[in-house]
Coordinates of all heavy atoms in Angstrom, one line a residue:
M4 N 201.4 -86.0 -66.0 CA 201.5 -86.0 -64.6 C 203.0 -86.2 -64.3 O 203.6 -87.2 -64.8 CB 200.7 -87.1 -64.0 CG 200.9 -87.2 -62.5 SD 200.0 -88.6 -61.7 CE 198.3 -88.0 -61.8
P5 N 203.6 -85.4 -63.4 CA 205.0 -85.6 -63.0 C 205.2 -86.9 -62.3 O 204.3 -87.5 -61.7 CB 205.2 -84.4 -62.0 CG 204.2 -83.4 -62.3 CD 203.0 -84.2 -62.7
T6 N 206.4 -87.4 -62.4 CA 206.8 -88.6 -61.8 C 206.9 -88.5 -60.2 O 207.3 -87.4 -59.7 CB 208.2 -89.1 -62.3 OG1 208.2 -89.1 -63.7 CG2 208.7 -90.4 -61.8
Q7 N 206.6 -89.5 -59.5 CA 206.7 -89.5 -58.1 C 208.1 -89.6 -57.6 O 208.9 -90.4 -58.1 CB 205.9 -90.6 -57.4 CG 205.7 -90.4 -55.9 CD 204.6 -91.3 -55.3 OE1 204.0 -92.1 -56.0 NE2 204.4 -91.1 -54.1
A8 N 208.5 -88.8 -56.6 CA 209.8 -88.9 -55.9 C 210.0 -90.3 -55.3 O 209.0 -91.0 -55.0 CB 209.9 -87.8 -54.9
Q9 N 211.2 -90.7 -55.2 CA 211.5 -92.0 -54.6 C 211.6 -92.0 -53.1 O 212.4 -91.3 -52.5 CB 212.8 -92.5 -55.2 CG 213.2 -93.9 -54.7 CD 214.6 -94.4 -55.2 OE1 215.2 -93.7 -55.9 NE2 215.0 -95.5 -54.7
A10 N 210.7 -92.8 -52.4 CA 210.7 -92.9 -51.0 C 211.2 -94.2 -50.6 O 210.8 -95.3 -51.0 CB 209.3 -92.7 -50.5
T11 N 212.3 -94.2 -49.7 CA 212.8 -95.4 -49.1 C 212.7 -95.4 -47.6 O 213.3 -94.6 -47.0 CB 214.3 -95.5 -49.5 OG1 214.4 -95.5 -50.9 CG2 214.9 -96.9 -49.0
V12 N 211.9 -96.3 -47.1 CA 211.7 -96.4 -45.7 C 212.9 -97.1 -45.1 O 213.2 -98.2 -45.5 CB 210.4 -97.1 -45.3 CG1 210.2 -97.3 -43.8 CG2 209.2 -96.4 -45.9
Q13 N 213.6 -96.4 -44.1 CA 214.8 -97.0 -43.5 C 214.5 -97.6 -42.2 O 215.1 -98.6 -41.8 CB 215.8 -95.8 -43.3 CG 216.2 -95.2 -44.6 CD 217.2 -94.1 -44.4 OE1 217.3 -93.5 -43.3 NE2 217.9 -93.7 -45.4
I14 N 213.5 -97.1 -41.4 CA 213.1 -97.6 -40.1 C 211.6 -97.5 -40.1 O 211.0 -96.4 -40.4 CB 213.7 -96.8 -39.0 CG1 215.2 -96.9 -39.0 CG2 213.1 -97.3 -37.6 CD1 215.9 -96.0 -38.0
D15 N 210.9 -98.5 -39.6 CA 209.5 -98.4 -39.4 C 209.1 -99.3 -38.2 O 209.0 -100.5 -38.4 CB 208.7 -98.8 -40.6 CG 207.2 -98.4 -40.5 OD1 206.8 -97.9 -39.4 OD2 206.5 -98.7 -41.5
N16 N 209.1 -98.7 -37.0 CA 208.8 -99.5 -35.8 C 207.6 -98.8 -35.0 O 207.0 -97.9 -35.5 CB 210.0 -99.7 -34.9 CG 210.6 -98.4 -34.4 OD1 209.9 -97.5 -34.1 ND2 211.9 -98.4 -34.3
E17 N 207.4 -99.3 -33.8 CA 206.3 -98.7 -33.0 C 206.5 -97.2 -32.6 O 205.5 -96.6 -32.3 CB 206.0 -99.5 -31.8 CG 207.2 -99.5 -30.8 CD 207.0 -100.5 -29.6 OE1 206.4 -100.1 -28.6 OE2 207.4 -101.6 -29.8
H18 N 207.7 -96.7 -32.7 CA 208.0 -95.4 -32.3 C 208.2 -94.4 -33.4 O 207.8 -93.2 -33.3 CB 209.2 -95.3 -31.3 CG 209.0 -96.2 -30.1 ND1 208.2 -95.8 -29.1 CD2 209.6 -97.4 -29.8 CE1 208.3 -96.8 -28.2 NE2 209.1 -97.7 -28.6
F19 N 208.9 -94.8 -34.5 CA 209.3 -93.9 -35.5 C 209.2 -94.6 -36.9 O 209.3 -95.8 -37.0 CB 210.8 -93.5 -35.4 CG 211.1 -92.7 -34.1 CD1 211.7 -93.4 -33.1 CD2 210.8 -91.4 -34.0 CE1 211.9 -92.7 -31.9 CE2 211.0 -90.7 -32.9 CZ 211.6 -91.3 -31.8
R20 N 209.0 -93.7 -37.9 CA 209.1 -94.1 -39.3 C 210.1 -93.1 -39.9 O 209.9 -91.9 -39.8 CB 207.8 -94.1 -40.1 CG 208.0 -94.5 -41.5 CD 206.7 -94.7 -42.3 NE 205.7 -93.9 -41.9 CZ 204.4 -94.2 -41.8 NH1 204.0 -95.4 -42.1 NH2 203.5 -93.4 -41.4
V21 N 211.2 -93.6 -40.5 CA 212.2 -92.8 -41.1 C 212.3 -93.1 -42.6 O 212.5 -94.3 -42.9 CB 213.6 -93.0 -40.4 CG1 214.7 -92.2 -41.1 CG2 213.6 -92.7 -38.9
T22 N 212.1 -92.1 -43.4 CA 212.0 -92.2 -44.8 C 213.0 -91.3 -45.5 O 213.0 -90.1 -45.2 CB 210.6 -92.0 -45.3 OG1 209.7 -92.8 -44.6 CG2 210.5 -92.3 -46.8
E23 N 213.8 -91.8 -46.4 CA 214.6 -91.0 -47.3 C 213.8 -90.7 -48.5 O 213.3 -91.6 -49.2 CB 215.9 -91.7 -47.6 CG 216.8 -90.8 -48.6 CD 217.9 -91.6 -49.1 OE1 217.7 -92.5 -50.0 OE2 219.1 -91.3 -48.8
W24 N 213.7 -89.4 -48.9 CA 213.0 -89.0 -50.1 C 214.1 -88.4 -51.0 O 214.9 -87.6 -50.7 CB 212.0 -87.8 -49.8 CG 210.8 -88.3 -49.1 CD1 210.5 -88.5 -47.8 CD2 209.6 -88.8 -49.8 NE1 209.2 -88.9 -47.6 CE2 208.7 -89.1 -48.9 CE3 209.3 -88.9 -51.2 CZ2 207.4 -89.6 -49.2 CZ3 208.0 -89.3 -51.5 CH2 207.1 -89.7 -50.5
R25 N 214.0 -88.9 -52.3 CA 214.9 -88.5 -53.4 C 214.1 -87.9 -54.5 O 213.2 -88.6 -55.0 CB 215.8 -89.6 -53.9 CG 216.8 -90.1 -52.9 CD 217.9 -91.0 -53.5 NE 219.0 -91.1 -52.6 CZ 220.0 -90.4 -52.6 NH1 220.2 -89.4 -53.5 NH2 221.0 -90.5 -51.7
F26 N 214.3 -86.7 -54.8 CA 213.5 -86.0 -55.8 C 214.5 -85.7 -57.0 O 215.4 -84.8 -56.9 CB 213.0 -84.6 -55.3 CG 212.0 -84.7 -54.2 CD1 212.4 -85.0 -52.9 CD2 210.7 -84.5 -54.5 CE1 211.5 -85.0 -51.9 CE2 209.7 -84.5 -53.4 CZ 210.1 -84.8 -52.1
Q27 N 214.3 -86.3 -58.1 CA 214.9 -85.9 -59.3 C 214.2 -84.6 -59.8 O 213.1 -84.3 -59.3 CB 214.8 -87.0 -60.4 CG 215.6 -88.2 -60.1 CD 217.0 -88.0 -59.8 OE1 217.7 -87.2 -60.5 NE2 217.6 -88.6 -58.7
P28 N 214.8 -83.8 -60.6 CA 214.1 -82.5 -61.1 C 212.7 -82.8 -61.6 O 212.5 -83.8 -62.4 CB 215.0 -82.0 -62.2 CG 216.4 -82.5 -61.8 CD 216.1 -83.9 -61.2
G29 N 211.7 -82.1 -61.1 CA 210.4 -82.2 -61.6 C 209.5 -83.3 -60.9 O 208.3 -83.4 -61.1
T30 N 210.1 -84.1 -60.0 CA 209.4 -85.1 -59.3 C 208.7 -84.5 -58.1 O 209.0 -83.5 -57.6 CB 210.2 -86.3 -58.9 OG1 211.3 -85.9 -58.0 CG2 210.8 -87.0 -60.2
E31 N 207.7 -85.3 -57.6 CA 206.8 -84.8 -56.5 C 206.5 -85.9 -55.6 O 206.6 -87.1 -55.9 CB 205.6 -84.1 -57.1 CG 204.7 -85.1 -57.8 CD 203.4 -84.5 -58.4 OE1 203.5 -83.3 -58.9 OE2 202.4 -85.1 -58.2
T32 N 206.0 -85.6 -54.4 CA 205.5 -86.6 -53.4 C 204.1 -87.0 -53.8 O 203.6 -88.1 -53.4 CB 205.4 -86.0 -52.0 OG1 204.6 -84.9 -51.9 CG2 206.8 -85.7 -51.5
R33 N 203.3 -86.2 -54.5 CA 201.9 -86.2 -54.7 C 201.2 -85.8 -53.4 O 201.8 -85.8 -52.3 CB 201.4 -87.6 -55.2 CG 202.2 -88.0 -56.5 CD 201.3 -88.9 -57.3 NE 202.0 -89.1 -58.6 CZ 202.5 -90.2 -59.1 NH1 202.4 -91.3 -58.4 NH2 203.0 -90.3 -60.3
W34 N 199.9 -85.4 -53.5 CA 199.2 -84.9 -52.4 C 199.1 -86.0 -51.3 O 198.8 -87.1 -51.6 CB 197.8 -84.4 -52.8 CG 197.9 -83.1 -53.5 CD1 198.0 -82.8 -54.8 CD2 197.8 -81.8 -52.8 NE1 198.1 -81.5 -55.0 CE2 197.9 -80.8 -53.8 CE3 197.7 -81.5 -51.5 CZ2 197.9 -79.5 -53.5 CZ3 197.6 -80.1 -51.2 CH2 197.8 -79.1 -52.2
H35 N 199.3 -85.6 -50.1 CA 199.2 -86.5 -48.9 C 199.0 -85.7 -47.7 O 199.2 -84.5 -47.6 CB 200.5 -87.3 -48.8 CG 201.8 -86.5 -48.6 ND1 202.4 -85.8 -49.6 CD2 202.5 -86.3 -47.4 CE1 203.4 -85.2 -49.1 NE2 203.5 -85.4 -47.8
R36 N 198.6 -86.4 -46.7 CA 198.3 -85.9 -45.3 C 199.1 -86.6 -44.3 O 199.1 -87.9 -44.3 CB 196.8 -86.0 -45.0 CG 196.4 -85.3 -43.7 CD 194.9 -85.4 -43.5 NE 194.4 -84.6 -42.5 CZ 194.4 -84.9 -41.2 NH1 194.8 -86.2 -40.8 NH2 193.9 -84.1 -40.3
H37 N 199.8 -85.9 -43.5 CA 200.7 -86.5 -42.4 C 199.8 -87.0 -41.2 O 199.1 -86.2 -40.7 CB 201.8 -85.6 -42.0 CG 202.8 -85.4 -43.0 ND1 203.9 -86.2 -43.1 CD2 202.9 -84.5 -44.1 CE1 204.7 -85.8 -44.1 NE2 204.1 -84.8 -44.7
E38 N 199.9 -88.2 -40.9 CA 199.2 -88.7 -39.7 C 200.0 -88.6 -38.4 O 199.4 -88.7 -37.3 CB 198.8 -90.2 -39.9 CG 200.0 -91.1 -40.1 CD 199.5 -92.6 -40.4 OE1 198.6 -93.1 -39.7 OE2 200.0 -93.2 -41.3
F39 N 201.3 -88.2 -38.5 CA 202.1 -88.1 -37.3 C 202.9 -86.8 -37.4 O 203.1 -86.2 -38.5 CB 203.2 -89.2 -37.2 CG 202.6 -90.6 -37.2 CD1 202.8 -91.4 -38.3 CD2 201.8 -91.1 -36.2 CE1 202.2 -92.7 -38.4 CE2 201.3 -92.3 -36.2 CZ 201.5 -93.2 -37.3
D40 N 203.3 -86.2 -36.2 CA 204.2 -85.1 -36.2 C 205.5 -85.6 -36.8 O 205.8 -86.8 -36.8 CB 204.5 -84.7 -34.8 CG 203.3 -84.1 -34.0 OD1 202.3 -83.9 -34.6 OD2 203.5 -83.9 -32.8
Y41 N 206.2 -84.7 -37.5 CA 207.4 -85.1 -38.2 C 208.5 -84.0 -38.3 O 208.2 -82.8 -38.1 CB 207.1 -85.6 -39.6 CG 206.6 -84.5 -40.6 CD1 207.4 -83.9 -41.5 CD2 205.2 -84.2 -40.5 CE1 206.9 -83.0 -42.4 CE2 204.7 -83.2 -41.4 CZ 205.6 -82.6 -42.3 OH 205.1 -81.7 -43.2
V42 N 209.7 -84.5 -38.5 CA 210.9 -83.6 -38.7 C 211.5 -83.9 -40.1 O 211.5 -85.1 -40.5 CB 212.0 -83.9 -37.6 CG1 213.2 -83.1 -37.9 CG2 211.4 -83.6 -36.2
V43 N 211.9 -82.9 -40.8 CA 212.5 -83.1 -42.1 C 214.0 -82.6 -41.9 O 214.2 -81.5 -41.4 CB 211.8 -82.3 -43.2 CG1 212.7 -82.2 -44.5 CG2 210.5 -82.9 -43.5
V44 N 214.9 -83.4 -42.4 CA 216.3 -83.1 -42.3 C 216.8 -83.1 -43.8 O 217.0 -84.1 -44.4 CB 217.1 -84.2 -41.5 CG1 218.6 -83.8 -41.4 CG2 216.5 -84.4 -40.1
P45 N 217.1 -81.9 -44.3 CA 217.6 -81.8 -45.7 C 219.0 -82.3 -45.8 O 219.8 -82.0 -44.9 CB 217.6 -80.3 -46.0 CG 216.6 -79.7 -45.0 CD 216.7 -80.5 -43.8
M46 N 219.2 -83.1 -46.8 CA 220.6 -83.7 -47.0 C 221.3 -83.0 -48.2 O 222.4 -83.2 -48.4 CB 220.4 -85.2 -47.4 CG 219.7 -86.0 -46.3 SD 220.4 -85.9 -44.7 CE 221.8 -86.8 -44.9
T47 N 220.5 -82.1 -48.9 CA 221.1 -81.3 -49.9 C 220.5 -79.9 -49.7 O 219.6 -79.6 -48.9 CB 220.7 -81.8 -51.3 OG1 219.3 -82.0 -51.4 CG2 221.4 -83.1 -51.6
T48 N 221.1 -78.9 -50.5 CA 220.6 -77.5 -50.4 C 219.9 -77.2 -51.7 O 220.5 -77.6 -52.8 CB 221.8 -76.6 -50.2 OG1 222.3 -76.9 -48.9 CG2 221.4 -75.1 -50.3
G49 N 218.8 -76.5 -51.7 CA 218.1 -76.1 -52.9 C 216.7 -75.8 -52.6 O 216.2 -75.8 -51.5
P50 N 215.9 -75.5 -53.7 CA 214.5 -75.1 -53.6 C 213.6 -76.4 -53.6 O 213.9 -77.4 -54.3 CB 214.3 -74.3 -54.9 CG 215.2 -74.9 -55.9 CD 216.4 -75.4 -55.1
L51 N 212.5 -76.3 -52.9 CA 211.4 -77.2 -53.0 C 210.1 -76.4 -53.1 O 210.0 -75.4 -52.3 CB 211.3 -78.2 -51.8 CG 212.3 -79.3 -51.7 CD1 212.0 -80.2 -50.5 CD2 212.2 -80.2 -53.0
K52 N 209.2 -76.8 -53.9 CA 207.9 -76.1 -54.1 C 206.9 -76.8 -53.2 O 206.8 -78.1 -53.2 CB 207.4 -76.1 -55.5 CG 206.1 -75.4 -55.7 CD 205.5 -75.6 -57.1 CE 206.3 -74.8 -58.1 NZ 205.6 -74.8 -59.4
L53 N 206.2 -76.1 -52.4 CA 205.2 -76.6 -51.5 C 203.8 -76.2 -52.0 O 203.6 -75.0 -52.0 CB 205.5 -76.2 -50.0 CG 204.5 -76.7 -49.0 CD1 204.7 -78.2 -48.8 CD2 204.8 -76.0 -47.7
Q54 N 203.0 -77.1 -52.3 CA 201.6 -76.8 -52.7 C 200.7 -77.1 -51.6 O 200.7 -78.2 -51.0 CB 201.2 -77.6 -54.0 CG 202.0 -77.3 -55.2 CD 201.5 -78.1 -56.4 OE1 201.2 -79.3 -56.2 NE2 201.5 -77.5 -57.6
L55 N 199.9 -76.1 -51.2 CA 198.9 -76.2 -50.1 C 197.5 -76.0 -50.7 O 197.4 -75.5 -51.8 CB 199.2 -75.2 -49.0 CG 200.6 -75.3 -48.3 CD1 200.8 -74.1 -47.5 CD2 200.7 -76.6 -47.5
A56 N 196.5 -76.3 -50.0 CA 195.1 -76.1 -50.5 C 194.9 -74.6 -50.8 O 194.1 -74.3 -51.7 CB 194.1 -76.5 -49.4
D57 N 195.6 -73.7 -50.1 CA 195.4 -72.3 -50.3 C 196.5 -71.6 -51.1 O 196.6 -70.3 -51.1 CB 195.1 -71.6 -49.0 CG 196.3 -71.6 -48.1 OD1 197.3 -72.4 -48.4 OD2 196.3 -71.0 -47.0
G58 N 197.3 -72.3 -51.8 CA 198.4 -71.7 -52.6 C 199.7 -72.5 -52.6 O 199.7 -73.6 -52.1
E59 N 200.7 -71.9 -53.1 CA 202.0 -72.6 -53.1 C 203.1 -71.6 -52.9 O 203.0 -70.4 -53.0 CB 202.2 -73.3 -54.5 CG 202.2 -72.4 -55.7 CD 202.4 -73.2 -57.0 OE1 201.7 -74.2 -57.2 OE2 203.2 -72.7 -57.8
S60 N 204.3 -72.1 -52.5 CA 205.5 -71.3 -52.2 C 206.7 -72.1 -52.6 O 206.7 -73.3 -52.6 CB 205.5 -70.9 -50.7 OG 205.6 -72.0 -49.9
I61 N 207.8 -71.4 -52.8 CA 209.1 -72.0 -53.0 C 209.9 -71.8 -51.7 O 210.0 -70.7 -51.2 CB 209.9 -71.3 -54.2 CG1 209.1 -71.5 -55.5 CG2 211.3 -71.9 -54.3 CD1 209.1 -72.9 -56.1
N62 N 210.4 -72.9 -51.2 CA 211.2 -72.8 -50.0 C 212.6 -73.2 -50.3 O 212.9 -74.2 -50.9 CB 210.6 -73.7 -48.9 CG 209.2 -73.4 -48.6 OD1 208.9 -72.3 -48.0 ND2 208.2 -74.2 -48.9
E63 N 213.6 -72.4 -49.8 CA 215.0 -72.7 -50.0 C 215.5 -73.4 -48.8 O 215.5 -72.9 -47.7 CB 215.8 -71.4 -50.2 CG 215.5 -70.7 -51.5 CD 216.1 -71.4 -52.7 OE1 217.1 -72.2 -52.6 OE2 215.5 -71.2 -53.8
L64 N 215.8 -74.7 -48.9 CA 216.3 -75.5 -47.8 C 217.8 -75.7 -47.9 O 218.4 -75.6 -48.9 CB 215.6 -76.9 -47.9 CG 214.1 -76.9 -47.4 CD1 213.2 -76.6 -48.6 CD2 213.8 -78.2 -46.8
T65 N 218.4 -75.8 -46.7 CA 219.8 -75.9 -46.5 C 220.2 -77.2 -45.9 O 219.6 -77.6 -44.9 CB 220.3 -74.7 -45.7 OG1 219.9 -73.5 -46.4 CG2 221.9 -74.8 -45.6
T66 N 221.2 -77.9 -46.4 CA 221.7 -79.1 -45.8 C 221.8 -79.0 -44.3 O 222.5 -78.1 -43.8 CB 223.1 -79.5 -46.4 OG1 222.9 -79.6 -47.8 CG2 223.6 -80.8 -45.8
G67 N 221.2 -79.9 -43.5 CA 221.3 -80.0 -42.1 C 220.4 -79.0 -41.3 O 220.4 -79.1 -40.1
Q68 N 219.7 -78.1 -42.0 CA 218.8 -77.2 -41.3 C 217.4 -77.8 -41.2 O 216.6 -77.6 -42.1 CB 218.8 -75.8 -42.1 CG 220.1 -75.1 -42.2 CD 220.5 -74.5 -40.8 OE1 219.6 -73.9 -40.2 NE2 221.7 -74.6 -40.4
S69 N 217.2 -78.5 -40.2 CA 215.9 -79.2 -40.0 C 214.7 -78.3 -39.7 O 214.9 -77.2 -39.2 CB 216.1 -80.2 -38.8 OG 217.2 -81.1 -39.1
Y70 N 213.5 -78.8 -40.0 CA 212.3 -78.2 -39.5 C 211.3 -79.2 -39.2 O 211.4 -80.4 -39.5 CB 211.8 -77.2 -40.6 CG 211.3 -77.9 -41.9 CD1 210.0 -78.3 -42.0 CD2 212.2 -78.1 -43.0 CE1 209.5 -79.0 -43.2 CE2 211.7 -78.7 -44.1 CZ 210.4 -79.1 -44.2 OH 210.0 -79.8 -45.4
T71 N 210.2 -78.8 -38.5 CA 209.2 -79.7 -38.0 C 207.8 -79.2 -38.3 O 207.6 -78.0 -38.5 CB 209.3 -80.0 -36.5 OG1 208.4 -81.0 -36.1 CG2 209.1 -78.7 -35.7
R72 N 206.9 -80.2 -38.5 CA 205.5 -79.9 -38.7 C 204.6 -80.8 -37.9 O 205.0 -81.9 -37.6 CB 205.1 -80.1 -40.2 CG 205.8 -79.2 -41.2 CD 205.2 -77.8 -41.2 NE 205.9 -76.9 -42.2 CZ 206.9 -76.1 -41.9 NH1 207.5 -76.1 -40.8 NH2 207.4 -75.4 -42.9
L73 N 203.4 -80.4 -37.6 CA 202.5 -81.2 -36.8 C 201.7 -82.1 -37.7 O 201.5 -81.9 -38.9 CB 201.5 -80.3 -36.0 CG 202.2 -79.4 -35.0 CD1 201.1 -78.5 -34.3 CD2 202.9 -80.2 -33.9
A74 N 201.2 -83.2 -37.1 CA 200.3 -84.1 -37.8 C 199.1 -83.3 -38.4 O 198.7 -82.3 -37.9 CB 199.8 -85.2 -36.8
G75 N 198.6 -83.8 -39.5 CA 197.5 -83.1 -40.2 C 197.9 -82.3 -41.4 O 197.1 -81.8 -42.2
S76 N 199.2 -82.0 -41.5 CA 199.7 -81.2 -42.6 C 199.4 -81.9 -43.9 O 199.7 -83.1 -44.1 CB 201.3 -81.0 -42.5 OG 201.8 -80.4 -43.6
E77 N 198.8 -81.2 -44.8 CA 198.4 -81.8 -46.1 C 199.0 -80.9 -47.2 O 198.8 -79.7 -47.3 CB 196.9 -81.8 -46.2 CG 196.4 -82.6 -47.4 CD 194.8 -82.8 -47.3 OE1 194.2 -82.4 -46.3 OE2 194.3 -83.2 -48.3
H78 N 199.7 -81.6 -48.2 CA 200.4 -80.9 -49.2 C 201.0 -81.8 -50.3 O 200.9 -83.0 -50.1 CB 201.6 -80.0 -48.6 CG 202.5 -80.9 -47.8 ND1 202.6 -80.7 -46.4 CD2 203.4 -81.9 -48.1 CE1 203.5 -81.6 -45.9 NE2 204.0 -82.3 -47.0
N79 N 201.6 -81.2 -51.3 CA 202.4 -81.8 -52.3 C 203.7 -81.1 -52.4 O 203.8 -79.9 -52.3 CB 201.7 -81.7 -53.7 CG 202.4 -82.5 -54.8 OD1 203.1 -83.4 -54.5 ND2 202.3 -82.0 -56.0
V80 N 204.8 -81.9 -52.4 CA 206.1 -81.3 -52.5 C 206.7 -81.6 -53.9 O 206.7 -82.8 -54.3 CB 207.0 -81.9 -51.4 CG1 208.4 -81.2 -51.4 CG2 206.4 -81.6 -50.0
I81 N 207.3 -80.6 -54.5 CA 207.8 -80.8 -55.9 C 209.3 -80.2 -55.9 O 209.5 -79.2 -55.3 CB 207.0 -80.0 -56.9 CG1 205.5 -80.5 -56.9 CG2 207.6 -80.1 -58.3 CD1 204.6 -79.6 -57.6
N82 N 210.2 -80.9 -56.6 CA 211.5 -80.3 -56.9 C 211.5 -79.5 -58.1 O 211.5 -80.0 -59.2 CB 212.5 -81.5 -57.0 CG 213.9 -80.9 -57.3 OD1 214.2 -79.7 -57.3 ND2 214.9 -81.8 -57.5
P83 N 211.5 -78.2 -58.0 CA 211.5 -77.3 -59.2 C 212.9 -77.0 -59.7 O 213.1 -76.4 -60.8 CB 210.9 -76.0 -58.7 CG 211.4 -75.9 -57.3 CD 211.4 -77.3 -56.8
G84 N 213.9 -77.5 -59.0 CA 215.3 -77.2 -59.4 C 215.9 -78.1 -60.4 O 215.3 -79.1 -60.8
P85 N 217.1 -77.8 -60.8 CA 217.8 -78.6 -61.9 C 218.6 -79.8 -61.3 O 219.1 -80.6 -62.1 CB 218.7 -77.6 -62.5 CG 219.1 -76.6 -61.4 CD 217.8 -76.5 -60.6
E86 N 218.7 -79.9 -60.0 CA 219.5 -80.9 -59.4 C 218.6 -81.8 -58.5 O 217.6 -81.4 -58.1 CB 220.6 -80.3 -58.5 CG 221.5 -79.3 -59.2 CD 222.4 -80.0 -60.2 OE1 222.8 -81.2 -60.0 OE2 222.8 -79.4 -61.2
E87 N 219.1 -83.0 -58.2 CA 218.4 -83.9 -57.3 C 218.3 -83.2 -55.9 O 219.3 -82.6 -55.5 CB 219.2 -85.2 -57.2 CG 218.5 -86.2 -56.2 CD 219.3 -87.5 -56.0 OE1 220.5 -87.4 -55.6 OE2 218.7 -88.6 -56.2
F88 N 217.2 -83.4 -55.2 CA 217.1 -82.9 -53.9 C 216.8 -84.1 -53.0 O 215.9 -85.0 -53.3 CB 216.0 -81.9 -53.7 CG 216.0 -81.2 -52.4 CD1 216.7 -80.0 -52.3 CD2 215.5 -81.7 -51.3 CE1 216.8 -79.3 -51.1 CE2 215.6 -81.1 -50.1 CZ 216.3 -79.9 -50.0
V89 N 217.4 -84.2 -51.8 CA 217.2 -85.3 -50.9 C 217.0 -84.8 -49.5 O 217.6 -83.9 -49.0 CB 218.5 -86.2 -50.8 CG1 218.3 -87.4 -49.9 CG2 218.9 -86.7 -52.2
F90 N 216.0 -85.4 -48.8 CA 215.8 -85.2 -47.4 C 215.4 -86.4 -46.7 O 214.9 -87.4 -47.3 CB 214.8 -84.0 -47.1 CG 213.4 -84.2 -47.5 CD1 212.5 -85.0 -46.8 CD2 212.8 -83.5 -48.6 CE1 211.2 -85.2 -47.1 CE2 211.5 -83.6 -48.9 CZ 210.7 -84.5 -48.2
V91 N 215.6 -86.4 -45.4 CA 215.1 -87.5 -44.5 C 214.0 -87.0 -43.7 O 214.1 -85.9 -43.1 CB 216.3 -88.1 -43.6 CG1 215.8 -89.1 -42.6 CG2 217.4 -88.6 -44.5
E92 N 212.9 -87.8 -43.7 CA 211.7 -87.4 -42.9 C 211.6 -88.4 -41.7 O 211.6 -89.6 -41.9 CB 210.5 -87.5 -43.8 CG 209.2 -87.3 -43.1 CD 208.0 -87.5 -44.1 OE1 207.6 -88.6 -44.4 OE2 207.6 -86.4 -44.7
I93 N 211.4 -87.9 -40.5 CA 211.3 -88.7 -39.3 C 210.0 -88.4 -38.7 O 209.7 -87.3 -38.2 CB 212.4 -88.3 -38.3 CG1 213.8 -88.5 -39.0 CG2 212.3 -89.2 -37.0 CD1 214.9 -87.8 -38.3
E94 N 209.1 -89.4 -38.7 CA 207.8 -89.3 -38.1 C 207.7 -90.0 -36.8 O 208.2 -91.1 -36.6 CB 206.8 -90.0 -39.0 CG 206.7 -89.4 -40.4 CD 205.8 -90.2 -41.4 OE1 206.3 -91.3 -41.9 OE2 204.7 -89.9 -41.6
A95 N 207.2 -89.2 -35.8 CA 207.1 -89.7 -34.4 C 205.7 -90.3 -34.2 O 204.7 -89.6 -34.1 CB 207.3 -88.5 -33.4
K96 N 205.7 -91.6 -34.1 CA 204.4 -92.4 -34.0 C 203.8 -92.3 -32.6 O 202.5 -92.2 -32.5 CB 204.6 -93.8 -34.3 CG 204.9 -94.0 -35.8 CD 205.0 -95.5 -36.1 CE 205.3 -95.8 -37.6 NZ 205.3 -97.2 -37.8
N97 N 204.6 -92.4 -31.5 CA 204.0 -92.3 -30.2 C 204.4 -91.0 -29.5 O 205.4 -90.9 -28.8 CB 204.6 -93.5 -29.3 CG 204.1 -94.8 -29.8 OD1 203.0 -94.9 -30.4 ND2 204.8 -95.9 -29.6
H98 N 203.6 -90.0 -29.8 CA 204.0 -88.7 -29.3 C 202.8 -88.1 -28.5 O 201.7 -88.1 -29.0 CB 204.3 -87.7 -30.4 CG 204.5 -86.3 -30.0 ND1 205.7 -86.0 -29.2 CD2 203.8 -85.2 -30.1 CE1 205.6 -84.7 -29.0 NE2 204.5 -84.2 -29.5
S99 N 203.0 -87.7 -27.3 CA 202.0 -87.1 -26.4 C 202.3 -85.7 -26.2 O 203.4 -85.3 -26.0 CB 202.0 -87.8 -25.1 OG 201.1 -87.2 -24.2
R100 N 201.3 -84.8 -26.3 CA 201.5 -83.4 -26.2 C 201.0 -82.9 -24.8 O 200.2 -82.0 -24.7 CB 200.7 -82.6 -27.2 CG 201.3 -82.8 -28.6 CD 200.7 -81.8 -29.6 NE 201.1 -82.1 -30.9 CZ 200.3 -82.6 -31.9 NH1 199.0 -82.8 -31.6 NH2 200.8 -82.8 -33.0
D101 N 201.3 -83.7 -23.7 CA 200.9 -83.3 -22.4 C 201.5 -82.1 -21.9 O 202.6 -81.7 -22.1 CB 201.3 -84.5 -21.4 CG 200.5 -85.8 -21.8 OD1 199.5 -85.7 -22.5 OD2 201.0 -86.8 -21.4

């Protein structure tokens, strides 16, 4: 079984949880489901493999090119590349879609 990526929670309050994820080559998040809407801010450039229930894909991420996903997203993220990959994940705890 691959080693789990290193997650360091930087902020965790009533509004946000901010986590820095560090992936050495071959490490993964393991399967998980997001309970909050979130934004990912890549701190490095490179590939990440995304495994979903219905398949997988390789996504090329670029430093500073953020993306967002809604709560309920379920997946495993793996670093298939030869270099460390780092991103910051910002989860919005108190979010209303009015």
Side-chain angles (χ1 to χ4, degrees):
M4 173 183 290
T6 305
Q7 188 165 9
Q9 180 183 359
T11 303
V12 176
Q13 298 177 341
I14 297 170
D15 192 358
N16 61 34
E17 64 187 271
H18 302 288
F19 298 100
R20 180 171 33 217
V21 178
T22 306
E23 178 191 68
W24 284 92
R25 290 189 167 272
F26 294 78
Q27 294 303 318
T30 61
E31 63 181 44
T32 58
R33 302 211 170 114
W34 281 90
H35 61 282
R36 184 176 192 272
H37 288 268
E38 59 182 315
F39 305 112
D40 295 351
Y41 65 99
V42 174
V43 170
V44 182
M46 305 305 288
T47 53
T48 295
L51 283 181
K52 180 188 288 188
L53 183 64
Q54 292 180 326
L55 302 168
D57 62 351
E59 61 183 46
S60 63
I61 300 286
N62 299 292
E63 291 291 332
L64 285 87
T65 303
T66 301
Q68 297 286 318
S69 303
Y70 66 89
T71 185
R72 297 282 184 267
L73 298 177
S76 175
E77 190 170 352
H78 55 247
N79 182 28
V80 180
I81 302 167
N82 177 4
E86 304 290 330
E87 178 183 56
F88 194 93
V89 180
F90 66 74
V91 173
E92 177 182 83
I93 304 160
E94 298 172 282
K96 293 182 176 181
N97 293 334
H98 177 69
S99 174
R100 292 192 188 111
D101 297 337

